[in-house]
Amino acid sequence: QVQLVESGGSSVQPGGSLTLSCTTSDEKLDGYNVGWFRQAPGSEREGIGCTSNGEVPSWSSDSIFIKGRFSVSRDSARNIVYLHANNLTPDDSAVYYCATSRLYCGRLHRMYDDWGQGTQVTISE
């Protein structure tokens, strides 16, 4: 089991940007597909994007499921996976999670094995 830790959540104004981080001290994240999700109160957990470990079919590699304002990147040397979010709106307010899977890099949250505790993002004036 991988103990994941998210950080970087905060309160920002509409139109602002954030970079969230996901890391673990247990092992190298390079061996995992790492997905980013979010969940607002009363809503389903929603897939944002995933960066693959290079071992999944190309159609599901490094995918962004919410187009246009989000991107996912890795810093292998620091063992961190980032979620970059731009032009944020109040609808983006949610708890943001990262998750790992050895075999899957898609938008279905039930296919991921290990999850962090989440980091809160609030978009308001």
Side-chain angles (χ1 to χ4, degrees), residues 22-63:
C22 172
T23 190
T24 179
S25 59
D26 294 343
E27 53 189 295
K28 294 292 289 183
L29 286 173
D30 284 352
Y32 293 89
N33 303 298
V34 181
W36 279 97
F37 295 79
R38 66 184 182 183
Q39 189 166 20
S43 298
E44 292 284 323
R45 192 162 293 192
E46 178 183 27
I48 302 171
C50 178
T51 180
S52 83
N53 60 3
E55 299 176 11
V56 296
S58 59
W59 59 265
S60 70
S61 299
D62 298 329
S63 300

Side-chain angles (χ1 to χ4, degrees), residues 29-108:
L29 286 173
D30 284 352
Y32 293 89
N33 303 298
V34 181
W36 279 97
F37 295 79
R38 66 184 182 183
Q39 189 166 20
S43 298
E44 292 284 323
R45 192 162 293 192
E46 178 183 27
I48 302 171
C50 178
T51 180
S52 83
N53 60 3
E55 299 176 11
V56 296
S58 59
W59 59 265
S60 70
S61 299
D62 298 329
S63 300
I64 295 297
F65 315 132
I66 302 178
K67 303 293 186 182
R69 299 184 294 113
F70 294 90
S71 62
V72 180
S73 66
R74 288 185 189 257
D75 184 335
S76 295
R78 300 180 66 193
N79 205 35
I80 300 175
V81 173
Y82 297 102
L83 174 69
H84 308 279
N86 300 304
N87 196 22
L88 291 161
T89 75
D91 287 341
D92 295 315
S93 297
V95 178
Y96 283 68
Y97 300 90
C98 64
T100 56
S101 170
R102 290 280 194 187
L103 301 176
Y104 180 76
C105 195
R107 68 177 68 209
L108 299 177

